[in-house]
Amino acid sequence: MPQYTPPVRDTRFILERVIGLGSHSNLPGFANASPDIVNAVLEEGGKFVAEILFPLNQSGDQQGCTRHDDGSVTTPEGFKAAYAQFVESGWGTLAGPEEFGGQGMPHVVATAFEEYLISANMAFAMYPGLTQGATAALLAKGSDEQKAKYVPNMIAGKWGGTMNLTEPQCGTDLGLIKTKAEPQTDGSYSITGTKIFISSGEHDLTENIIHLVLAKTPGAPDSSKGISLFVVPKFLVKDDGSLGERNAVSCGSIEHKMGIHANSTCVMNYDGATGWLVGEEMKGLAAMFIMMNAARLGVGLQGLGVGETAYQNAVQYAHDRRQGRALTGPKDPEEKADTLFVHPDVRRMLMEAKALTEGLRALCLWGALQVDLSHKAESEEERQLADDLIGLLTPVIKGYGTDKGYDIATNAQQVYGGHGYIAEWGMEQYVRDARIAMIYEGTNGVQAMDLVGRKLARNGGRAVQAFFKLVTDEVAAAKEDEKLADYAAALEKALGQLQAATMWFMANGMQNPNNVGAGAHSYMHLMGIVATGLMWLRMAKAAHTALAEGEGDKAFYEAKLVTARYFADRIMPDAGALRRKIESGSDSIMALDPEMFVAA
Amino acid sequence: MPQYTPPVRDTRFILERVIGLGSHSNLPGFANASPDIVNAVLEEGGKFVAEILFPLNQSGDQQGCTRHDDGSVTTPEGFKAAYAQFVESGWGTLAGPEEFGGQGMPHVVATAFEEYLISANMAFAMYPGLTQGATAALLAKGSDEQKAKYVPNMIAGKWGGTMNLTEPQCGTDLGLIKTKAEPQTDGSYSITGTKIFISSGEHDLTENIIHLVLAKTPGAPDSSKGISLFVVPKFLVKDDGSLGERNAVSCGSIEHKMGIHANSTCVMNYDGATGWLVGEEMKGLAAMFIMMNAARLGVGLQGLGVGETAYQNAVQYAHDRRQGRALTGPKDPEEKADTLFVHPDVRRMLMEAKALTEGLRALCLWGALQVDLSHKAESEEERQLADDLIGLLTPVIKGYGTDKGYDIATNAQQVYGGHGYIAEWGMEQYVRDARIAMIYEGTNGVQAMDLVGRKLARNGGRAVQAFFKLVTDEVAAAKEDEKLADYAAALEKALGQLQAATMWFMANGMQNPNNVGAGAHSYMHLMGIVATGLMWLRMAKAAHTALAEGEGDKAFYEAKLVTARYFADRIMPDAGALRRKIESGSDSIMALDPEMFVAA
């Protein structure tokens, strides 16, 4: 049956030796993140999710959530008790600001834990995950009164939070929103409309749920410029902080989904519910994007998190299952067959997963550190650089990370052969769960357009130039090191493809923006290869350093070097193909009359 | 809600203008396949599956099969009546030999219908599909008495058939089989053992089920050389053809699977069941491979079939859903938003699906024609060439076809955004159904090893040389034609990558067979690109010819030319990357100690 062990050894390697958490101990909050404390978070947090949440992952998928006739929703057996333990242990408070009851730890440390949480139980992780997104929006845009009223209980996990954007007629195109907000004489608004696909919209885990809702005030423009953000609590909150009357917001139904069955995905009906404006009127989209950017990094982490669990189980199955013989002759002649590990094609799938999960782990943690640095670094230059880099790479981490997470889960299932298709083995759930991450918080096609349509050009291309410089500098330094020169040359080649594709966009995008749109998805993957490739350069360098220092764990570091080579051998070659696809432009994509697509 | 229209126009184009069915009318059985008759089969067969079977696809998935306490299994509501209609209309008899009650049509015509059958309802299609596989083995290896006893009712569809290979401890490695066959004094055998993953193993559609079972006779070698094939009917058949007593074979349970819920995947228990040897003792594997090769082509067709339905629905959704605006300015300014068709990244997913489904349709039909030619062509040279080509390309059609079928279904789901993840829209079912085709009848990794480990080297590489010659000759001819020269040059380049990779295997496989194993999967895809690319060359050529002739359906042929260009622009570039991966060899894949895979 499925198993999961938090990859603490690898996380520590990345935090300590790859992104150098220790070198930032002078920054606010980072003093709370000494190696001992971080290690305790990883060990204890990992133990908690593995022992308490992972055992509920498969049963949660099988049971799903249940909506009752009165509109209430119950989560699967064991979720409520596990959530209470989660709250009591404070695992949701790691990165919350201390003034609202959080532990004030760096975002990068919370991200390391968050990966484990997702790996153990993605559907469970979405309950606190949505709360954190809603909290971030309130902290950024809410009034002091709103912050004081809602945020402490949300950080503590006593209350949940949700994001209400989508409606039946609008997903990506939020300008089409129909939900109305009518101002009332007491300064509140009456909210009326239907929201769909609301993750964690209604459940039995918390005593209150704080909904953040996009709606339009009377006379607002009929576009995304007319959207405002409102806070709509399930139970109104009295001035003394106690719960008042039930608000007119309710769950109309829960969706039947491909996966993440244990998270309640709700249709939410707002029937003149009482809400309050968050931030300025008609500036709702900007406020929502604060949530979205954090959420997109969190979704990228889901690709890694689910991929990691799927990968670990595939490795275990390859140890346990004996089938056929090595091409080079029997490996275990005393047994009736060799283990799956002797077969190169099984190895290919496992090495691909290893190269991608470890590479994405480094990229996600590096990205989380940029979030910290964008707020806390000492100089304006450093803060701006970090903000530029994470702004550029957020769609890459989301889009490339989740596309690859799905591939990893699919390959891990493939290692199991026929057993992978059978529910009780647990592997098909990872594929079904991983699938949603490519869709929500903006489909991966939307991420790709965000990257090429907004992030590339912003501030005259400052961010992408900074990224190119970062990679170029590290490649140049590594080429001087004989041990890293081969790998550095491979990364330099991939970077060259990315730079050429960027130039091609500049030369061909003005005359026809579809040339950029047609290459967007390939470009996102190309940048994903280069960014993950940079992480592998750093990991290889750190491994060589540790080996030279005679640091104990020799086999671990040598495995890093083999895996870096796999990345160069088997993943980087796609860079050239992606560039060629991009440079073919939009002609063959846009030429066909829509009526001619189906040749029936 | 989902819909399906059989792509009769495209099938006819391929049969008539691409593979030239008419030019083979001199061969046995092909006279039965005049254009009028073929057209009637496509139109009427397509109508039947679309009207009777497709409406049961989603409900069948939701209900699944039910095993009762007595071991009987009922299929979902409507299946029994639909199957009765299927039998009555004779849709299962198209390619059956006339002497056993079949219609004696060419395999290629039956394949064209089979695609529609799968598209409409893959789980349903597996019931007659397995029967056909079992029938093929009996026709090839059974005694005259066995053929007379079983085959007519199986071709008629009155009785079902199954293939029993897998056991809990063995899937790919059939040498590990434990099922025993004890000879009895009356010439029969007593079969005892457990078989798993038996598709259509028990159900309520037919009055009898004829199981073909691999088992070992006493003293047989403990390897695949010791396997024999037995026929084990659910009900014994009396000499007068009527049904006798119930045999000691029963369904122990049905599996809970990711998809194809409406097909009963059974654990079958043989408790001293009465069986009869089919063919020679200890030659069972060879007999089973007769079924398997036919079945592998059928599974390749599943990739296409499910992909086609997913694609058609994605196209319809892209017509219906309005979201956002074209990058080049509003397309439908009178509407609040443009349709999804304006977005290049949506187009990319739809064009990819169009290029692959139409390309795979041509490849599957061309492959089916090779099967016909391998039996029926006039000269031994022609028969051998056809046999060589289809032997070589069977693993490619299965492996590449089903990998791509899954990609197409995943992309089609992606076009729907969040709605794609919701069960009622039907798209997630296609992904779950398509997934199994990559696993069963030999995982795609096993297909890849069959290709590089057996098919490439057989007869001194005769088959692959014939394939290279075929592509080279058609490319050379096309380069002379100004309208085809660009496309031909792109195909020539991809062929060059394939030839270089083949040479690399020859040069590096002897010293270390893992070098071949490590590149097998990439090689299978590389050959898939070239083979499908050849089909697109032929389709482009046929389209130009039809346009030059002034044949009526101009838009159809022009769409073919755009799609061929898409294939060259966006799919062929992968050929170079695949070659580079292959040429990186096995070092970075085989170096790691299995204990070092998980870095926890």
Side-chain angles (χ1 to χ4, degrees):
Chain A
M1 292 304 91
Q3 54 195 316
Y4 170 65
T5 306
V8 174
R9 176 74 191 85
D10 199 48
T11 306
R12 290 189 61 187
F13 167 71
I14 292 166
L15 291 177
E16 293 165 13
R17 290 185 167 262
V18 179
I19 66 169
L21 185 61
S23 67
H24 299 289
S25 56
N26 57 322
L27 302 182
F30 279 67
N32 298 356
S34 68
D36 281 359
I37 288 178
V38 170
N39 201 29
V41 167
L42 300 178
E43 290 287 354
E44 293 307 311
K47 203 172 154 200
F48 176 81
V49 302
E51 291 179 1
I52 306 297
L53 301 181
F54 185 66
L56 301 175
N57 190 48
Q58 206 173 1
S59 59
D61 176 67
Q62 283 156 7
Q63 285 176 36
C65 294
T66 310
R67 179 185 176 279
H68 305 282
D69 289 343
D70 64 356
S72 66
V73 171
T74 44
T75 51
E77 216 178 302
F79 269 54
K80 200 173 159 125
Y83 185 80
Q85 274 189 271
F86 178 85
V87 168
E88 197 184 342
S89 318
W91 291 117
T93 71
L94 289 174
E98 288 170 295
E99 61 175 308
F100 294 105
Q103 299 184 52
M105 300 270 270
H107 186 61
V108 61
V109 176
T111 299
F113 169 74
E114 181 88 2
E115 181 207 316
Y116 301 172
L117 181 63
I118 294 163
S119 286
N121 197 322
M122 174 170 159
F124 181 97
M126 291 172 67
Y127 293 104
L130 270 294
T131 307
Q132 280 168 27
T135 307
L138 284 171
L139 283 171
K141 298 290 179 182
S143 66
D144 287 346
E145 190 200 332
Q146 287 170 341
K147 288 182 201 172
K149 197 170 211 170
Y150 301 113
V151 170
N153 279 330
M154 291 171 78
I155 285 181
K158 279 178 68 182
W159 297 352
T162 71
M163 296 164 60
N164 292 242
L165 292 76
T166 305
E167 299 181 6
Q169 78 290 352
C170 70
T172 301
D173 188 352
L174 292 169
L176 303 176
I177 275 179
K178 290 181 181 167
T179 298
K180 296 285 173 217
E182 295 278 348
Q184 307 295 299
T185 51
D186 65 354
S188 71
Y189 289 77
S190 171
I191 313 284
T192 302
T194 299
K195 296 287 182 177
I196 65 169
F197 302 160
I198 307 308
S199 299
S200 317
E202 177 59 54
H203 55 77
D204 56 355
L205 302 182
T206 56
E207 55 190 46
N208 201 3
I209 300 175
I210 311 305
H211 303 290
L212 289 180
V213 184
L214 291 185
K216 284 183 178 167
T217 47
D222 199 14
S223 76
S224 64
K225 294 197 176 81
I227 300 173
S228 303
L229 179 66
F230 298 88
V231 56
V232 185
K234 174 178 167 183
F235 288 100
L236 300 181
V237 179
K238 294 185 194 160
D239 289 342
D240 66 357
S242 67
L243 297 186
E245 64 179 302
R246 184 74 163 78
N247 206 345
V249 47
S250 61
C251 165
S253 63
I254 52 179
E255 305 281 6
H256 300 101
K257 308 186 298 290
M258 184 184 196
I260 51 166
H261 293 159
N263 192 272
S264 57
T265 306
C266 299
V267 174
M268 297 300 294
N269 296 321
Y270 292 83
D271 301 309
T274 304
W276 290 269
L277 187 66
V278 178
E280 291 178 59
E281 199 177 335
M282 295 192 259
K283 294 283 172 64
L285 209 58
M288 207 47 127
F289 261 102
I290 291 171
M291 284 207 245
M292 294 262 274
N293 277 323
R296 285 174 176 182
L297 289 171
V299 173
L301 204 59
Q302 291 178 343
L304 164 60
V306 178
E308 170 71 23
T309 309
Y311 163 65
Q312 287 189 14
N313 282 283
V315 168
Q316 188 59 49
Y317 191 76
H319 279 300
D320 295 344
R321 178 80 167 175
R322 292 183 175 275
Q323 205 78 183
R325 288 296 187 189
L327 294 170
T328 49
K331 177 104 172 164
D332 299 328
E334 75 290 355
E335 300 279 352
K336 285 198 167 183
D338 293 332
T339 70
L340 294 187
F341 266 107
V342 304
H343 302 302
D345 193 62
V346 171
R347 290 255 191 174
R348 171 187 65 81
M349 296 188 278
L350 296 176
M351 285 300 302
E352 183 95 2
K354 183 175 174 65
L356 287 169
T357 51
E358 295 178 16
L360 289 171
R361 179 171 299 119
L363 185 61
C364 287
L365 292 174
W366 173 86
L369 179 65
Q370 304 312 307
V371 174
D372 284 318
L373 294 176
S374 72
H375 298 301
K376 298 179 176 175
E378 287 182 344
S379 72
E380 171 60 24
E381 285 76 12
E382 287 170 284
R383 290 195 296 274
Q384 187 190 85
L385 174 64
D387 193 54
D388 282 349
L389 289 173
I390 193 58
L392 179 74
L393 286 163
T394 292
V396 175
I397 290 172
K398 197 280 186 182
Y400 180 72
T402 61
D403 278 354
K404 290 300 164 185
Y406 182 66
D407 289 349
I408 293 164
T410 298
N411 272 335
Q413 180 188 24
Q414 190 75 12
V415 170
Y416 276 66
H419 299 279
Y421 202 66
I422 307 299
E424 66 184 321
W425 287 87
M427 300 306 288
E428 55 94 39
Q429 183 189 346
Y430 302 128
V431 176
R432 290 185 288 102
D433 286 355
R435 184 67 186 88
I436 188 58
M438 299 156 73
I439 297 173
Y440 60 17
E441 297 305 334
T443 65
N444 287 357
V446 169
Q447 303 302 319
M449 283 309 298
D450 178 49
L451 174 63
V452 301
R454 296 176 63 241
K455 301 297 175 63
L456 276 191
R458 203 153 66 173
N459 300 312
R462 194 177 69 202
V464 73
Q465 294 305 330
F467 178 67
F468 289 163
K469 183 173 185 316
L470 181 73
V471 184
T472 304
D473 289 353
E474 296 196 29
V475 162
K479 283 174 81 178
E480 301 295 308
D481 181 340
E482 160 186 39
K483 288 182 184 132
L484 294 171
D486 282 354
Y487 184 88
L491 178 56
E492 186 174 40
K493 193 167 169 184
L495 174 66
Q497 312 283 13
L498 178 65
Q499 288 174 314
T502 313
M503 294 296 289
W504 192 90
F505 279 158
M506 287 172 62
N508 296 279
M510 290 287 262
Q511 72 187 63
N512 181 1
N514 285 334
N515 278 327
V516 178
H521 195 268
S522 292
Y523 188 88
M524 178 175 77
H525 274 252
L526 180 46
M527 189 174 276
I529 290 171
V530 172
T532 314
L534 176 65
M535 295 300 126
W536 272 112
L537 174 60
R538 291 182 175 192
M539 288 197 275
K541 191 176 165 191
H544 278 301
T545 304
L547 286 168
E549 289 169 359
E551 209 269 354
D553 206 351
K554 199 163 163 241
F556 176 86
Y557 298 115
E558 284 172 348
K560 284 285 172 197
L561 299 177
V562 172
T563 313
R565 178 158 173 208
Y566 178 92
F567 195 90
D569 281 357
R570 296 270 171 173
I571 294 177
M572 283 187 181
D574 286 328
L578 291 165
R579 174 190 168 182
R580 280 188 59 201
K581 293 179 192 184
I582 292 165
E583 292 181 356
S584 76
S586 61
D587 288 357
S588 59
I589 282 184
M590 299 306 290
L592 212 58
D593 182 332
E595 297 306 321
M596 290 314 297
F597 267 79
V598 172
Chain B
M1 292 306 91
Q3 54 195 313
Y4 170 66
T5 306
V8 174
R9 176 73 189 86
D10 200 46
T11 306
R12 289 190 61 186
F13 168 70
I14 292 167
L15 291 177
E16 293 166 13
R17 289 185 167 262
V18 179
I19 66 170
L21 185 61
S23 66
H24 299 289
S25 56
N26 58 321
L27 301 182
F30 280 67
N32 299 356
S34 67
D36 281 358
I37 289 177
V38 171
N39 200 30
V41 167
L42 299 178
E43 291 287 354
E44 293 306 311
K47 200 171 157 204
F48 176 81
V49 302
E51 291 180 2
I52 306 298
L53 301 181
F54 185 65
L56 300 175
N57 190 47
Q58 206 173 1
S59 58
D61 177 67
Q62 282 155 9
Q63 287 176 35
C65 295
T66 309
R67 179 187 175 279
H68 305 281
D69 288 344
D70 64 357
S72 67
V73 172
T74 44
T75 50
E77 216 177 302
F79 269 53
K80 202 174 156 122
Y83 185 81
Q85 275 189 272
F86 178 85
V87 168
E88 197 184 344
S89 318
W91 292 116
T93 70
L94 289 174
E98 288 170 296
E99 60 174 307
F100 294 105
Q103 299 182 51
M105 301 269 272
H107 186 62
V108 61
V109 176
T111 298
F113 168 74
E114 181 89 2
E115 181 207 316
Y116 301 172
L117 182 63
I118 294 162
S119 286
N121 196 322
M122 174 169 158
F124 181 97
M126 290 172 67
Y127 293 104
L130 269 295
T131 306
Q132 280 168 24
T135 307
L138 284 171
L139 283 172
K141 297 290 178 180
S143 66
D144 287 345
E145 191 199 330
Q146 287 170 340
K147 288 183 202 173
K149 196 169 211 168
Y150 301 114
V151 169
N153 279 329
M154 293 171 78
I155 285 181
K158 280 179 68 183
W159 296 353
T162 72
M163 295 163 59
N164 292 242
L165 292 74
T166 306
E167 299 181 6
Q169 77 291 350
C170 68
T172 300
D173 188 352
L174 292 169
L176 302 176
I177 276 179
K178 289 181 182 166
T179 297
K180 295 286 173 217
E182 295 278 348
Q184 307 296 299
T185 50
D186 65 355
S188 71
Y189 288 77
S190 172
I191 313 284
T192 302
T194 300
K195 295 288 181 178
I196 64 170
F197 303 159
I198 307 308
S199 298
S200 318
E202 177 60 55
H203 55 77
D204 57 356
L205 302 182
T206 56
E207 54 189 47
N208 201 3
I209 301 176
I210 311 305
H211 303 290
L212 288 180
V213 184
L214 292 185
K216 284 183 179 169
T217 46
D222 199 13
S223 75
S224 64
K225 296 198 176 80
I227 299 173
S228 303
L229 180 65
F230 298 88
V231 57
V232 185
K234 175 179 167 184
F235 288 100
L236 300 182
V237 180
K238 294 185 195 161
D239 288 341
D240 66 359
S242 67
L243 297 185
E245 64 180 303
R246 183 74 162 80
N247 207 344
V249 47
S250 61
C251 166
S253 63
I254 53 180
E255 305 280 5
H256 301 100
K257 307 185 300 289
M258 184 183 196
I260 49 166
H261 292 158
N263 192 271
S264 57
T265 306
C266 299
V267 174
M268 297 301 293
N269 296 321
Y270 291 83
D271 302 309
T274 303
W276 289 270
L277 187 66
V278 177
E280 288 179 60
E281 199 177 335
M282 296 192 258
K283 294 281 171 64
L285 209 58
M288 206 49 127
F289 260 102
I290 291 171
M291 282 206 245
M292 294 261 274
N293 277 324
R296 285 174 176 182
L297 288 171
V299 173
L301 203 59
Q302 290 177 343
L304 163 61
V306 178
E308 170 71 22
T309 309
Y311 163 66
Q312 286 189 15
N313 282 282
V315 168
Q316 188 58 50
Y317 192 76
H319 280 299
D320 296 344
R321 178 80 167 173
R322 292 183 176 274
Q323 206 76 183
R325 287 296 187 190
L327 294 170
T328 47
K331 176 102 174 166
D332 299 327
E334 75 289 357
E335 300 280 352
K336 286 197 167 185
D338 293 333
T339 70
L340 293 188
F341 266 106
V342 304
H343 302 301
D345 193 62
V346 171
R347 289 255 192 174
R348 172 187 64 82
M349 294 188 281
L350 296 177
M351 285 301 300
E352 182 95 3
K354 183 175 174 65
L356 286 169
T357 51
E358 295 178 14
L360 289 171
R361 178 170 302 119
L363 186 61
C364 287
L365 292 174
W366 173 85
L369 179 64
Q370 304 312 307
V371 173
D372 284 319
L373 294 177
S374 72
H375 297 301
K376 298 179 176 175
E378 287 182 345
S379 72
E380 171 61 25
E381 285 76 12
E382 287 171 282
R383 290 194 297 273
Q384 187 190 83
L385 174 64
D387 193 54
D388 281 350
L389 289 173
I390 193 58
L392 179 75
L393 286 163
T394 292
V396 175
I397 291 172
K398 197 280 187 183
Y400 180 72
T402 61
D403 278 355
K404 290 300 164 187
Y406 182 66
D407 288 351
I408 293 164
T410 298
N411 272 335
Q413 181 188 24
Q414 190 75 11
V415 170
Y416 277 66
H419 299 279
Y421 201 66
I422 306 300
E424 67 184 320
W425 288 87
M427 300 306 288
E428 55 95 38
Q429 182 189 346
Y430 302 128
V431 176
R432 290 185 289 102
D433 286 355
R435 183 68 185 89
I436 188 58
M438 299 154 75
I439 297 173
Y440 62 16
E441 297 305 335
T443 65
N444 286 357
V446 169
Q447 303 301 321
M449 284 309 299
D450 178 49
L451 174 63
V452 302
R454 296 176 62 240
K455 301 296 176 62
L456 276 191
R458 205 153 66 172
N459 300 313
R462 194 176 68 202
V464 73
Q465 293 307 330
F467 178 67
F468 289 164
K469 181 171 186 317
L470 181 71
V471 184
T472 304
D473 289 352
E474 297 195 27
V475 162
K479 284 173 79 179
E480 301 297 307
D481 180 340
E482 165 186 33
K483 289 183 186 131
L484 294 171
D486 283 354
Y487 184 88
L491 178 57
E492 185 175 42
K493 194 168 169 184
L495 174 66
Q497 313 283 12
L498 179 64
Q499 288 173 315
T502 312
M503 294 297 288
W504 192 91
F505 279 158
M506 286 172 64
N508 296 277
M510 289 287 261
Q511 70 187 65
N512 181 0
N514 284 333
N515 278 328
V516 178
H521 194 268
S522 292
Y523 187 88
M524 179 175 76
H525 274 252
L526 180 46
M527 190 173 275
I529 290 171
V530 172
T532 315
L534 175 65
M535 295 300 126
W536 271 111
L537 174 60
R538 291 183 176 191
M539 288 196 278
K541 190 176 164 191
H544 278 303
T545 303
L547 286 168
E549 289 169 358
E551 208 271 352
D553 205 351
K554 200 164 162 239
F556 176 86
Y557 297 116
E558 283 171 350
K560 284 285 171 195
L561 298 177
V562 172
T563 312
R565 178 159 172 207
Y566 178 92
F567 195 91
D569 281 357
R570 296 269 170 173
I571 294 177
M572 282 188 183
D574 286 328
L578 290 165
R579 174 190 168 182
R580 281 188 58 202
K581 293 179 193 186
I582 292 165
E583 292 181 355
S584 76
S586 62
D587 288 359
S588 58
I589 282 184
M590 298 307 290
L592 211 59
D593 182 334
E595 297 305 321
M596 291 313 298
F597 267 78
V598 173

